[in-house]
Amino acid sequence: MAPSRYPGERLGFPDEGRGSIARPGRRIIALVIDWGLAILIGWPFFHNDPWANLGIFVLMQIVFIPTIGGSIGHRLLGLRVVALKGGWIGVWRPIVRTLLLAIVVPALIWDSDQRGFHDKIAGTVLLRL
């Protein structure tokens, strides 16, 4: 099989624009927004405790992905987390995806479609709106 010409080609997604695979820049900015929100929410209650910040971050991901289609950072940057096979993402996919994201390393291992290992295991993909 020939290598993909662009991320998402093997999966049937367009090269750019609506429905294309989210590129690293948007992903990183969304992550920074979400982490910043977790710190802001946790500051008055936990005084910048790193474990509390991580817990808030994880909770926000698990709640917002199935309800609004992505984290607050994702949505602000025009991104959406979807099930690769279509349909509602459900509850288990965001939990698995987020727990793997929280331990960082799986999110740093990408395939040629720019899907992190956390997305591959959860059967999800992050797309542009």
Side-chain angles (χ1 to χ4, degrees):
M1 178 184 271
S4 299
R5 291 176 292 145
Y6 61 87
E9 178 183 32
R10 292 180 315 120
L11 303 172
F13 296 109
D15 182 18
E16 55 188 39
R18 184 176 178 86
S20 66
I21 298 285
R23 300 305 198 263
R26 287 181 190 236
R27 291 171 182 259
I28 292 167
I29 294 169
L31 181 65
V32 168
I33 289 169
D34 292 335
W35 191 252
L37 285 171
I39 291 170
L40 284 173
I41 292 167
W43 181 263
F45 305 104
F46 304 107
H47 308 292
N48 206 26
D49 177 275
W51 290 107
N53 293 341
L54 180 60
I56 293 166
F57 174 83
V58 165
L59 184 63
M60 288 188 332
Q61 297 287 315
I62 291 172
V63 168
F64 290 128
I65 289 173
T67 57
I68 65 171
S71 68
I72 294 170
H74 291 148
R75 300 306 290 187
L76 287 174
L77 289 163
L79 305 175
R80 182 176 183 92
V81 180
V82 299
L84 187 58
K85 294 184 179 182
W88 184 55
I89 198 162
V91 176
W92 75 268
R93 290 180 201 285
I95 292 171
V96 169
R97 183 184 190 277
T98 301
L99 292 177
L100 290 170
L101 178 63
I103 59 175
V104 179
V105 174
L108 297 176
I109 301 169
W110 290 13
D111 66 9
S112 62
D113 291 310
Q114 294 184 355
R115 288 177 63 218
F117 192 62
H118 64 302
D119 276 320
K120 289 183 73 82
I121 294 294
T124 58
V125 62
L126 186 60
L127 301 176
R128 291 179 59 192
L129 290 175

